[in-house]
Amino acid sequence: MGHSLTCNLSFSIGGLILDKTVSDPNLIGIVVYAPVINGVGGNLVSIQSSRISTHLHLNYSPGELPEGPRSCFNPCYTFFGSGANHRSAQVLLLLVLPGQLIFLHIIHVMKGGLTLPSPLFTVFFLSASLIQVFFLLCMADCMVHCLWRRGKDPDSYSIPYLTALGDLVGTALLSLAFVVLWCFGDP
């Protein structure tokens, strides 16, 4: 019950943020970009979560963790340790920029191709995406190892939590970007 309650709470808070932002006519454009930022972040963190989980399943018994620093929220360990999972975290983070640029172009074409997103919007959107995925990849490293330590299967538990958290963080960062851009007078 706690598992679904936490995920539902994240979806509810993310939905509340999106609802409040969309209710302002100056920020209505967020509706187009929210599925993109949340979809990319959720998919990338799901890949990393599955990779870490598979590594643990192949090499360790449930409850047994690899040697090395296991503190949560240590970006240095998540991105700069040794091993395939650290390299994949780097690659997944680097995929954010070209992936989001492609999606921005697709949105531009689907809207008729009449106006390009402003350079300032592009920078804010890409920054929000990078921050979201960076945070999610760190959380995946922490969460998967914590679940494994407790004997839980990370494949079953981590992905719903991480994608719900990604929706919350992505929507909040995108809303913040839209509000700041609106304050700057960027259309």
Side-chain angles (χ1 to χ4, degrees), residues 99-113:
Q100 293 294 37
L101 285 172
I102 290 168
F103 283 120
L104 282 176
H105 179 70
I106 290 169
I107 291 169
H108 162 67
V109 169
M110 289 178 67
K111 288 173 74 177

Side-chain angles (χ1 to χ4, degrees), residues 82-104:
S82 59
N85 291 326
H86 307 290
R87 174 65 70 194
S88 68
Q90 294 169 355
V91 170
L92 291 171
L93 187 63
L94 290 175
L95 284 174
V96 171
L97 293 177
Q100 293 294 37
L101 285 172
I102 290 168
F103 283 120
L104 282 176

Side-chain angles (χ1 to χ4, degrees), residues 3-17 160-169 171:
H3 171 70
S4 64
L5 179 63
T6 305
C7 287
N8 288 337
L9 183 61
S10 291
F11 284 129
S12 297
I13 295 171
L16 182 64
I17 293 169
Y161 281 116
L162 291 167
T163 54
L165 184 61
D167 289 349
L168 174 63
V169 172
T171 302

Side-chain angles (χ1 to χ4, degrees), residues 109-171:
V109 169
M110 289 178 67
K111 288 173 74 177
L114 301 175
T115 58
L116 283 170
S118 72
L120 192 57
F121 171 80
T122 302
V123 167
F124 273 70
F125 181 77
L126 293 176
S127 298
S129 296
L130 280 170
I131 292 167
Q132 177 206 33
V133 172
F134 179 86
F135 174 74
L136 289 174
L137 292 173
C138 291
M139 288 301 300
D141 193 34
C142 178
M143 186 179 289
V144 168
H145 284 94
C146 286
L147 288 167
W148 186 259
R149 183 181 319 125
R150 288 171 175 74
K152 303 283 187 194
D153 182 9
D155 283 326
S156 299
Y157 289 92
S158 65
I159 293 174
Y161 281 116
L162 291 167
T163 54
L165 184 61
D167 289 349
L168 174 63
V169 172
T171 302

